[in-house]
Amino acid sequence: MNPFRYERASDVASACASAARPAAKFIAGGTNLVDLMKLQIEAPAQLVDITRLPLDRIEETADGGLRIGALVSNSAAAADMRVRRRYPLLAQAILAGASTQLRNKATTGGNMLQRTRCPYFYDTTKPCNKRVPGSGCAALEGFNRMNAVLGVSDNCIAAHPSDMAVAMTALDAVVETIAPNGSTRAIPIDELYRPPGDTPHIETVLEPGELIGSVLLPPPPAGRQIYRKVRDRASFAFALVSVAAILDLDGERVRAARITFGGLSYKPWRSAEAEAALVGAPATRAAFDAAGTAALKDARGYGHNDFKIPLARRTLRATLTQAAGLA
Amino acid sequence: MATRRWFLTTSGAATLALASSPSMAQPAAETPPLPTEHVDLTINGRPYALDLDPRTTLLDALREHLGFTGSKKGCDQGQCGACTIIVNGQRINSCLALAVMHDGDDITTIEGLAEEGVLHPMQAAFVRHDGFQCGYCTPGQICSAVALLSEHREGWPSYATADVATAPALTNAEIAERMSGNICRCSAYPNIVAAIREVAGEGSQ
């Protein structure tokens, strides 16, 4: 691990000012950053420890939603009875990720900002445009079984690894930030992540020193919420494919649907195509399959990960079948 | 146990100033020495004061600086759980925690579970059910299992819980899911689950 200066932030303003310096980084749970620092994939000159900031509360909002502080641990969010009753999708997604030990440390803000687990991002002997801009992408012709099939570029096919963010995207969560100049902004989570294009090393729209303070969950939408994750082992593994679905039925027809996929793209992949295909359709296997076809129509496999495309369609069908009470 | 008590009585509250493991550090000629950070920790009920390179993980602080070698370094990347300790009542991977960030925290390691030479009920159950072979993962398994029971008492759900708004019984499936952060290369899993069930007071299922 490279040497770094350590600073324990005592207020938000000084934390943002410190983290805006070159080669400075915020650290909270550290479950991803410390690992990457050991491998020298991340080598910050300064760490700004934000864990003592008062951003660890879950609060009710006036309209019946919740505001989850950026420092609320993944465990605390998943154990909160308001989350469990009103946003079971989110509790399920958080509990589907990592292990209890990691969830006890990992934070709401950090989970969203965790880096990809593409094996070539981790292998410092191989080219990776995300790790070393301009060096190339070893995953394109490599072992790309875990990589993305939607929304990526020939410069980077890394998939975003979060489960939590997939559920938050289905819930229309809004990321609330504080900039070093004190200004705040509200970023819909679907707009937080930047497509890789030719700058895959720039992963979000956050500016230097801009701190995630909280995540706003709007009131829960009508309908049954389900998070389903498909992975190589039964627990403690990243998703091959996951689906966050909220399905609202009017009798035997779909009144409203929200569909977000994990494991398929550089961000949680909200599928307007699948949602449009479902609204007004009968809650049947044929309609669910049509939604899957619509969702994956622009998908491209890179060899080892070709299987993700049919797997995503089948996982969507299984999730919707369960949400509709047909299974 | 005698060795542990000897260590505690002779090194408690000692102030140690030691450098971090230098394996990945830059040569001293290229990098001026960085200031150490002062860290106060309560470990198994006793206070300890350290001055540490900020790169030092909590695991290395325990093992290399304070001699608490019960917590093990397996993967050193948060995947195996051999380094699991209990910090402020919650289990974490000490290999991914920077010690300096835990200034003021209350830590329980495997060395702190037995009292007056009497094994903690979870330790006794692991012995009774043969919940290990080589034993390397065992301190982490036991710390993890002890924390699991308190999480369950607080009603935490898991991914194995059908309805996350309910507090589930500790079935084998629930225990397996909740212990998935602890890998046992000897695959003593059935006996580990049996030990945890016994201490939890749940019937067989």
Side-chain angles (χ1 to χ4, degrees), chain A residues 66 157 169 188 209 240 249 282 315 323:
Chain A
L66 288 179
I157 57 171
T169 301
L240 297 166
L249 297 182
T315 307

Side-chain angles (χ1 to χ4, degrees), chain A residues 72-132:
Chain A
V72 172
S73 74
N74 287 176
S75 287
D80 187 280
M81 197 49 90
R82 295 165 295 184
V83 172
R84 290 157 68 181
R85 290 206 174 110
R86 280 140 69 181
Y87 308 95
L89 175 74
L90 178 58
Q92 289 169 350
I94 292 171
L95 294 167
S99 64
T100 308
Q101 288 98 314
L102 290 167
R103 291 191 297 269
N104 283 344
K105 279 285 269 176
T107 63
T108 303
N111 184 310
M112 286 187 287
L113 299 181
Q114 65 179 300
R115 313 293 304 275
T116 185
R117 271 30 173 230
C118 174
Y120 301 101
F121 177 67
Y122 272 79
D123 184 349
T124 54
T125 69
K126 297 291 194 304
C128 170
N129 287 321
K130 190 182 281 298
R131 179 167 33 77
V132 181

Side-chain angles (χ1 to χ4, degrees), chain B:
Chain B
M1 285 301 117
T3 302
R4 181 181 68 85
R5 278 206 298 275
W6 173 85
F7 181 81
L8 289 176
T9 51
T10 55
S11 69
T15 297
L16 304 176
L18 295 170
S20 139
S21 165
S23 58
M24 297 293 276
Q26 299 290 321
E30 294 176 21
T31 309
L34 290 164
T36 57
E37 295 285 339
H38 186 80
V39 183
D40 287 312
L41 300 171
T42 300
I43 303 168
N44 303 328
R46 298 279 303 264
Y48 294 86
L50 295 160
D51 288 295
L52 295 171
D53 182 313
R55 289 172 289 183
T56 312
T57 64
L58 206 42
L59 178 62
D60 283 341
L62 289 169
R63 288 182 56 85
E64 309 298 334
H65 295 249
L66 294 171
F68 287 103
T69 54
S71 307
K72 296 295 186 273
K73 185 179 282 190
C75 69
D76 206 25
Q77 53 187 12
Q79 294 184 10
C80 77
C83 69
T84 301
I85 60 172
I86 301 171
V87 177
N88 299 338
Q90 300 207 322
R91 50 177 161 159
I92 68 166
N93 300 112
S94 60
C95 74
L96 291 182
L98 296 175
V100 63
M101 294 177 67
H102 286 275
D103 183 46
D105 282 357
D106 188 4
I107 293 169
T108 301
T109 68
I110 189 71
E111 290 95 337
L113 289 180
E115 290 186 17
E116 303 297 324
V118 178
L119 292 181
H120 184 283
M122 191 64 76
Q123 291 174 304
F126 267 64
V127 172
R128 200 154 44 243
H129 289 275
D130 205 13
F132 47 83
Q133 287 185 48
C134 81
Y136 194 81
C137 73
T138 310
Q141 297 275 2
I142 291 176
C143 285
S144 200
V146 168
L148 179 159
L149 293 188
S150 65
E151 293 157 7
H152 181 253
R153 278 194 296 273
E154 290 171 25
W156 287 19
S158 84
Y159 191 66
T161 309
D163 176 356
V164 291
T166 63
L170 270 187
T171 60
N172 286 0
E174 282 282 352
I175 292 171
E177 168 61 27
R178 289 163 191 256
M179 289 294 291
S180 71
N182 292 83
I183 308 296
C184 174
R185 181 63 183 81
C186 307
S187 208
Y189 299 113
N191 297 354
I192 291 170
V193 171
I196 295 171
R197 285 193 76 104
E198 180 181 285
V199 180
E202 305 271 347
S204 61
Q205 182 174 329

Side-chain angles (χ1 to χ4, degrees), chain A residues 8-27:
Chain A
R8 186 175 297 138
S10 54
D11 62 84
V12 168
S14 66
C16 294
S18 293
R21 296 188 194 123
K25 273 195 169 295
F26 294 118
I27 186 165

Side-chain angles (χ1 to χ4, degrees), chain A:
Chain A
M1 196 185 298
N2 282 358
F4 58 85
R5 281 186 307 284
Y6 172 79
E7 177 184 336
R8 186 175 297 138
S10 54
D11 62 84
V12 168
S14 66
C16 294
S18 293
R21 296 188 194 123
K25 273 195 169 295
F26 294 118
I27 186 165
T31 53
N32 190 210
L33 182 55
V34 172
D35 188 29
L36 292 170
M37 287 169 64
K38 287 182 184 181
L39 299 165
Q40 296 187 303
I41 295 165
E42 295 267 22
Q46 180 174 7
L47 281 186
V48 182
D49 175 0
I50 58 170
T51 54
R52 315 280 165 133
L53 300 183
L55 302 171
D56 59 348
R57 299 271 164 77
I58 302 179
E59 297 169 345
E60 300 275 351
T61 61
D63 62 357
L66 288 179
R67 174 172 282 111
I68 302 178
L71 293 175
V72 172
S73 74
N74 287 176
S75 287
D80 187 280
M81 197 49 90
R82 295 165 295 184
V83 172
R84 290 157 68 181
R85 290 206 174 110
R86 280 140 69 181
Y87 308 95
L89 175 74
L90 178 58
Q92 289 169 350
I94 292 171
L95 294 167
S99 64
T100 308
Q101 288 98 314
L102 290 167
R103 291 191 297 269
N104 283 344
K105 279 285 269 176
T107 63
T108 303
N111 184 310
M112 286 187 287
L113 299 181
Q114 65 179 300
R115 313 293 304 275
T116 185
R117 271 30 173 230
C118 174
Y120 301 101
F121 177 67
Y122 272 79
D123 184 349
T124 54
T125 69
K126 297 291 194 304
C128 170
N129 287 321
K130 190 182 281 298
R131 179 167 33 77
V132 181
S135 63
C137 174
L140 285 174
E141 304 291 328
F143 184 77
N144 51 39
R145 186 167 179 275
M146 298 298 290
N147 289 74
V149 296
L150 280 167
V152 289
S153 76
D154 283 346
N155 293 304
C156 181
I157 57 171
H160 197 273
S162 174
D163 292 290
M164 183 197 79
V166 177
M168 285 184 168
T169 301
L171 293 167
D172 282 337
V174 176
V175 179
E176 300 176 316
T177 71
I178 305 126
N181 67 6
S183 65
T184 60
R185 60 173 172 157
I187 306 165
I189 190 171
D190 195 44
E191 298 168 19
L192 176 68
Y193 301 103
R194 283 172 50 118
D198 55 8
T199 54
H201 59 293
I202 306 173
E203 296 175 350
T204 71
V205 300
L206 299 180
E207 300 290 337
E210 187 173 8
L211 177 69
I212 296 176
S214 52
V215 178
L216 178 68
L217 298 179
R224 183 145 181 224
Q225 306 176 14
I226 304 230
Y227 188 75
R228 190 182 187 104
K229 181 174 183 178
V230 181
R231 46 187 160 175
D232 282 331
R233 59 185 187 190
S235 183
F236 198 10
F238 289 99
L240 297 166
V241 170
S242 69
V243 172
I246 306 173
L247 188 67
D248 184 30
L249 297 182
D250 177 11
E252 294 181 354
R253 289 197 173 268
V254 177
R255 183 186 292 128
R258 297 198 195 175
I259 306 298
T260 305
F261 291 94
L264 298 187
S265 185
Y266 66 92
K267 66 173 181 177
W269 190 261
R270 183 83 178 257
S271 179
E273 295 87 348
E275 293 173 7
L278 286 167
V279 172
T284 61
R285 174 175 171 148
F288 300 157
D289 283 342
T293 299
L296 277 300
K297 71 179 189 319
D298 294 328
R300 174 189 166 190
Y302 293 85
H304 295 283
N305 68 350
D306 291 349
F307 75 97
K308 282 193 174 186
I309 298 170
L311 180 62
R313 287 194 293 258
R314 289 198 298 271
T315 307
L316 178 63
R317 181 213 297 158
T319 311
L320 292 172
T321 301
Q322 186 184 352
L326 303 176

